[in-house]
Amino acid sequence: TGRHLPIRGRALVDAALGRLHDAVDFVHRETLERINAGKDVFTIMREVELPPRLRVGQGYGSVRWAVRTIWEGYTGWFQRRSSSELYGVDPGAAAADLAELAGAAAVALRARERLEAGEPVVAIQLAEAVLARDATHRAAARVLVEAHEALLLAGGDANFWESGWLRHQIARWSPVAGPPVRY
């Protein structure tokens, strides 16, 4: 049960492992039910949550990651969203082209708007599209830093791997972003 003191006593060990088993079984069954209902992986990742009686620590993984693993285990990596999934092309390439056509400043501004609307993941996608073409774009890098900070504050610090990634991205893009801008 992790990296803490050992769990001692048959009843406590049985209870801890029983709860973990039941939580994994719940996520598995809920994911399969939604797959069979024809839902896409991202919808299922948002929908499946453990009920309070099955709460287990998610410090080294998360329910949404387990859902994705189960989904891909049953259906494979092909999400049936685009023919481009079948080929070795980075899905961000088209987004970078669109950002270039729309104008980096306009896309960075939209990223800022999405961040301020409480949509940090969409803001990240938009900022990354700009930065794929111009890795020195200050406004897009600033949005990227602030979006990762927002994800940390929204609970991204509870998981070891997620918080490490978010902090890495903040450190990576902070030099490009420069100091925070007050709006």
Side-chain angles (χ1 to χ4, degrees), residues 72-106:
E72 289 188 5
Y74 278 96
T75 68
W77 54 265
F78 182 47
Q79 296 180 19
R80 296 168 300 284
R81 295 178 74 194
S82 169
S83 298
S84 65
E85 293 174 41
L86 299 172
Y87 303 95
V89 177
D90 180 350
D97 283 350
L98 290 171
E100 183 178 20
L101 290 170

Side-chain angles (χ1 to χ4, degrees), residues 37-160:
K39 293 187 176 185
D40 67 273
V41 65
F42 302 110
T43 298
I44 301 171
M45 288 172 71
R46 288 188 306 271
E47 287 182 355
V48 175
E49 294 181 4
L50 289 172
R53 68 181 172 76
L54 295 178
R55 186 186 160 281
V56 294
Q58 296 185 51
Y60 288 93
S62 71
V63 169
R64 67 181 179 273
W65 298 348
V67 166
R68 178 112 186 216
T69 299
I70 294 164
W71 194 91
E72 289 188 5
Y74 278 96
T75 68
W77 54 265
F78 182 47
Q79 296 180 19
R80 296 168 300 284
R81 295 178 74 194
S82 169
S83 298
S84 65
E85 293 174 41
L86 299 172
Y87 303 95
V89 177
D90 180 350
D97 283 350
L98 290 171
E100 183 178 20
L101 290 170
V107 177
L109 179 60
R110 177 59 56 94
R112 165 70 49 203
E113 291 167 353
R114 296 301 282 265
L115 177 59
E116 290 174 359
E119 300 174 84
V121 176
V122 176
I124 288 169
Q125 291 172 328
L126 291 164
E128 287 174 341
V130 172
L131 292 163
R133 285 286 188 225
D134 177 5
T136 65
H137 197 282
R138 196 175 189 104
R142 172 54 40 205
V143 168
L144 204 58
V145 167
E146 292 177 18
H148 284 87
E149 290 171 341
L151 290 170
L152 270 174
L153 290 173
D157 63 338
N159 178 281
F160 174 79

